[in-house]
Amino acid sequence: MSLDLSSENRMTWVGAKTLVDPQVSIKRGALFVAENRIRNMLKWWTSIIAFGLGNPTLYLLSIGIGIGSLVDNSLGPNAIDHVSYLTFLAPALLATAGIQGAMDEVTWPTLEGFVWDRTFFSMNATAITGKQIANGVMIAAMVRCVLQVFMYELCLLAFGAISWQSIPILLLVASSAGLGFSSIMLAFSASIKDDDGVFALVGRFIITPMFMFSGTFYPITSMPIYLQWIGWISPQWHATNLGRALSYGMPIESWLVILHWAVFLIMTIIGFSWAHRVFTKRLEA
Amino acid sequence: MAKKTDAEAMIVATNLTKTYGEFKAVDGINFTVRKGESFGLLGPNGAGKSTTMKMIAATSQRTGGELLILGKDPNTSGPEIRAHLGVVPQQDNLDRELKVWENLMIYGRYFGLSRKFLKGKIEELLEFAQLVDKRNNKTEELSGGMKRRLTIARGLVNEPEILMLDEPTTGLDPQARHILWDRLFRLKELGVTLVITTHYMDEAEQLCDRLMVMDKGKIMAEGSPSELIKKYSSKEVLEVRFGSDNNASVAEQIAGIGERLEILPDRILVYAENGEKALEAIVKKGLHPVTSLVRRSSLEDVFLRLTGRTLVD
Ligand SMILES: Nc1ncnc2c1ncn2[C@@H]1O[C@H](COP(=O)(O)OP(=O)(O)O)[C@@H](O)[C@H]1O
Ligand SMILES: [Mg+2]
């Protein structure tokens, strides 16, 4: 059918009942959401690449090499875990990249979707459900996370901090930590009614301490015992420790390996079920 | 045009209720919208129009009552229903980062429509919304009226069985409103079922075949604009002003003239079959209004009669 809208323009119109099969969105809605998120990200792709490669390069030049030579000079070469300081540092830096990369793509977009632009409400006006929006945001965030970790790995490889064989396993570990932590952050962001600087507080009191006290720069065991608990609850430490064990063979108990993976898994499960509930409730109100 | 009372029922609400805590935003309303109808919800701010719209858009969960949209219950078939609806919310929620055409593209993708189909569709919609030369602009660069037209175009991307418009022209200047009314009128002519909320009586009169007057979550009256006016108001209205201090005392003296009086802070409304005659009667009593005006009754008068308040304050 073709409907006459005006003398100069016509609109074809078969009607939604014929045109739209709800099952398509019911099955693949999360991917459509991810597609939109990635389209949004592509608007910033130059910054994402520049930041993804530039940040590690600067970091490795200043901290890694500078402090590295200081450590190696004062403690002797390969004093920690029998590897260079840069190799010791690498899994921790990758964990940070994974966590940060995933987090950036769940926190701001979620606040934008619920508060600033209310785009989640427009998605939910179609066949897309709250659960699918949460999943779609996470899928896109993981694309960014994997990409960011991989770029970091390329830099580490160039600086000789990791071997190319350890690239897949370190990528998996850092991305799992990113997934676990950002699932929680996804739910948390969806619970925020209005951004009154909550994320700045999260950055100051959660992210920074997590980075500082998670055995990033020295083994967690060289910290006083009353600070070590921060490491135990921090995905940053779990990813760092697991990465060290699986990349250059730092000695580790097998139960601890299982525990590290379990932490990522549990955070993911808790985060997702919380996020699904918050997303659905907020859109249905 | 076929008689619409026999047409397929698109929305059936029975005792539909929504409460927020203790507060009843929508308080047990009943209505039916039929295929091809242009149905309006007219009421002041806070009447419960948006809340009703969100429930019939199958997004907000009802607290009580029954609701069938396109024959399905939104509590159990939300996505299936929404796949066949078009929604224009009160607050624009376009994607600011994306261009005009991209907004239409991503929205079409949410319905699972193919990129190939959407390419053609977007051209038609841009033309319909008179945004062809804005296709590559970011939405934040558009005027209020353009954003509104884009949001309407977006709502049409899936060729919806029902298009729902929540206050389509609120906040727009008169010219932008007229362009929008023209677009909506074309949709109405096409036979698209429209549900429109508004607090402008002229908009309701222009666009709606049938409407519900809402206040405080309840339906005060229902019917076509002309039926409502006939039922709740006189043919003509005489507006007289005696200066704000005198209105109340004058009102006592002219009681009995016309069918009914409404005393507003700044003027008196005399409802009468013949406004000029009513004015003559007032003058005969030796009273001389500062200004006087005879006009036809409008939905504003219906609302005043039903609630004792004006629609827009
Ligand atoms: N999410 C909410 N929580 C609490 N109260 C709400 C919520 N949404 C709407 N209301 C209240 O319900 C009433 C009806 O609101 P609404 O449907 O938006 O009215 P309208 O669209 O007719 O202006 C208002 O008093 C409003 O404050
Ligand atoms: Mg409203």
Side-chain angles (χ1 to χ4, degrees):
Chain A
M1 180 170 49
S2 179
L3 295 165
D4 209 1
L5 272 174
S6 66
S7 45
E8 79 277 12
N9 99 265
R10 297 170 81 80
M11 201 189 292
T12 49
W13 192 283
V14 298
K17 270 192 181 153
T18 316
L19 185 66
V20 181
D21 174 7
Q23 292 309 318
V24 178
S25 301
I26 289 170
K27 290 199 190 93
R28 305 217 309 266
L31 293 178
F32 298 146
V33 175
E35 181 183 324
N36 172 36
R37 284 297 320 136
I38 289 168
R39 198 183 266 276
N40 265 281
M41 269 186 238
L42 286 177
K43 304 266 161 189
W44 307 102
W45 72 271
T46 42
S47 327
I48 290 178
I49 302 277
F51 181 80
L53 291 173
N55 195 45
T57 306
L58 288 177
Y59 204 85
L60 289 171
L61 282 173
S62 66
I63 309 271
I65 307 214
I67 306 219
S69 56
L70 191 69
V71 171
D72 288 349
N73 286 342
S74 56
L75 299 180
N78 302 349
I80 309 175
D81 290 350
H82 310 293
V83 292
S84 78
Y85 186 66
L86 213 50
T87 302
F88 169 78
L89 204 55
L93 298 177
L94 290 174
T96 310
I99 288 170
Q100 196 69 52
M103 205 181 84
D104 276 355
E105 295 300 337
V106 298
T107 48
W108 303 115
T110 300
L111 216 55
E112 191 175 275
F114 276 121
V115 182
W116 297 326
D117 291 2
R118 301 174 57 82
T119 43
F120 288 172
F121 292 91
S122 75
M123 294 179 190
N124 187 232
T126 73
I128 308 278
T129 64
K131 226 171 168 173
Q132 290 175 323
I133 298 173
N135 294 348
V137 169
M138 188 53 99
I139 292 170
M142 288 317 291
V143 169
R144 164 83 187 274
C145 167
V146 167
L147 196 72
Q148 188 140 328
V149 173
F150 185 68
M151 286 191 288
Y152 216 125
E153 285 184 316
L154 293 181
C155 294
L156 287 166
L157 195 65
F159 279 86
I162 58 171
S163 67
W164 63 267
Q165 291 94 334
S166 61
I167 283 185
I169 191 67
L170 282 172
L171 186 65
L172 183 66
V173 171
S175 307
S176 303
L179 176 65
F181 188 68
S182 58
S183 319
I184 305 272
M185 288 309 291
L186 178 68
F188 175 72
S189 311
S191 319
I192 297 175
K193 293 280 169 253
D194 223 323
D195 174 41
D196 28 28
V198 189
F199 286 148
L201 292 181
V202 169
R204 203 156 304 150
F205 294 105
I206 298 183
I207 309 292
T208 307
M210 207 165 82
F211 187 64
M212 304 303 290
F213 300 108
S214 292
T216 306
F217 300 106
Y218 39 82
I220 194 173
T221 44
S222 37
M223 278 198 312
I225 192 83
Y226 59 85
L227 280 179
Q228 288 186 22
W229 65 270
I230 300 180
W232 281 93
I233 61 162
S234 146
Q236 167 82 29
W237 177 68
H238 291 280
T240 300
N241 212 47
L242 187 60
R244 281 174 185 154
L246 299 181
S247 63
Y248 63 77
M250 177 195 79
I252 192 170
E253 307 275 353
S254 50
W255 66 266
L256 193 54
V257 173
I258 294 169
L259 178 78
H260 289 322
W261 288 115
V263 166
F264 305 146
L265 185 68
I266 289 166
M267 285 187 108
T268 307
I269 292 171
I270 292 176
F272 266 88
S273 57
W274 180 20
H276 285 168
R277 234 189 3 257
V278 181
F279 269 72
T280 306
K281 261 199 100 175
R282 191 157 183 182
L283 292 166
E284 273 178 7
Chain B
M1 206 182 281
K3 200 140 166 23
K4 280 167 181 163
T5 42
D6 316 324
E8 184 189 338
M10 307 294 266
I11 304 172
V12 182
T14 316
N15 200 19
L16 184 63
T17 304
K18 177 85 183 184
T19 56
Y20 291 109
E22 295 285 287
F23 178 74
K24 282 193 172 160
V26 175
D27 192 0
I29 63 175
N30 298 286
F31 62 92
T32 302
V33 180
R34 295 185 185 278
K35 196 175 175 72
E37 246 189 327
S38 177
F39 182 79
L41 277 74
L42 176 70
N45 274 330
K49 304 183 298 295
S50 295
T51 308
T52 306
M53 283 297 248
K54 285 183 213 157
M55 287 192 281
I56 59 185
T59 46
S60 174
Q61 291 257 351
R62 66 181 183 268
T63 318
E66 294 304 318
L67 184 59
L68 282 180
I69 305 148
L70 304 173
K72 299 191 184 85
D73 183 338
N75 278 357
T76 51
S77 311
E80 288 89 343
I81 295 169
R82 295 196 303 268
H84 296 157
L85 298 182
V87 176
V88 178
Q90 184 171 350
Q91 242 180 313
D92 282 323
N93 50 19
L94 297 161
D95 199 317
R96 269 187 308 160
E97 304 282 338
L98 300 182
K99 293 174 181 169
V100 166
W101 75 268
E102 287 177 307
N103 264 279
L104 297 172
M105 176 62 87
I106 57 149
Y107 208 70
R109 295 289 294 149
Y110 296 148
F111 290 104
L113 297 169
S114 74
R115 284 193 191 77
K116 185 162 167 263
F117 168 82
L118 287 168
K119 269 208 165 125
K121 190 78 202 171
I122 287 169
E123 293 311 311
E124 288 180 359
L125 291 172
L126 287 175
E127 199 139 322
F128 170 74
Q130 298 166 340
L131 289 170
V132 175
D133 51 348
K134 297 283 176 192
R135 74 169 67 223
N136 286 320
N137 286 67
K138 278 194 177 184
T139 58
E140 57 191 350
E141 296 160 6
L142 301 182
S143 72
M146 290 175 185
K147 277 187 196 159
R148 222 55 193 136
R149 298 206 300 273
L150 177 57
T151 309
I152 293 172
R154 191 182 69 170
L156 291 171
V157 77
N158 63 330
E159 303 180 6
E161 302 294 321
I162 311 170
L163 180 66
M164 306 191 182
L165 302 129
D166 196 354
E167 309 221 5
T169 67
T170 298
L172 300 185
D173 61 59
Q175 198 198 349
R177 292 181 77 199
H178 280 282
I179 297 177
L180 219 95
W181 283 350
D182 170 64
R183 299 290 89 186
L184 294 179
F185 209 77
R186 285 184 196 284
L187 290 176
K188 185 162 132 57
E189 285 175 328
L190 292 179
V192 178
T193 309
L194 299 177
V195 180
I196 302 167
T197 80
T198 182
H199 64 260
Y200 298 121
M201 48 133 195
D202 52 346
E203 187 158 283
E205 274 173 0
Q206 287 264 345
L207 296 174
C208 303
D209 305 327
R210 194 159 64 85
L211 51 93
M212 225 159 65
V213 179
M214 267 187 100
D215 190 35
K216 296 182 179 153
K218 289 204 159 81
I219 299 178
M220 310 302 291
E222 196 191 316
S224 71
S226 59
E227 278 168 7
L228 288 171
I229 292 169
K230 207 181 231 166
K231 188 160 175 199
Y232 295 100
S233 192
S234 56
K235 196 167 161 215
E236 292 187 343
V237 188
L238 167 67
E239 296 198 5
V240 280
R241 290 168 203 260
F242 291 91
S244 8
D245 299 333
N246 307 326
N247 283 337
S249 63
V250 171
E252 281 173 27
Q253 300 179 51
I254 64 174
I257 296 177
E259 296 159 21
R260 205 166 54 82
L261 295 180
E262 283 286 351
I263 302 131
L264 302 181
D266 61 331
R267 67 209 135 116
I268 301 174
L269 306 182
V270 183
Y271 290 94
E273 269 304 296
N274 186 325
E276 288 298 342
K277 280 209 174 124
L279 182 59
E280 276 170 30
I282 291 174
V283 173
K284 250 187 213 155
K285 284 186 186 271
L287 296 164
H288 298 282
V290 183
T291 63
S292 66
L293 163 81
V294 176
R295 59 169 176 82
R296 298 178 68 82
S297 267
S298 73
L299 287 172
E300 185 76 52
D301 300 298
V302 173
F303 189 79
L304 190 61
R305 170 74 185 275
L306 290 168
T307 67
R309 288 181 292 119
T310 48
L311 205 46
V312 192
D313 29 36

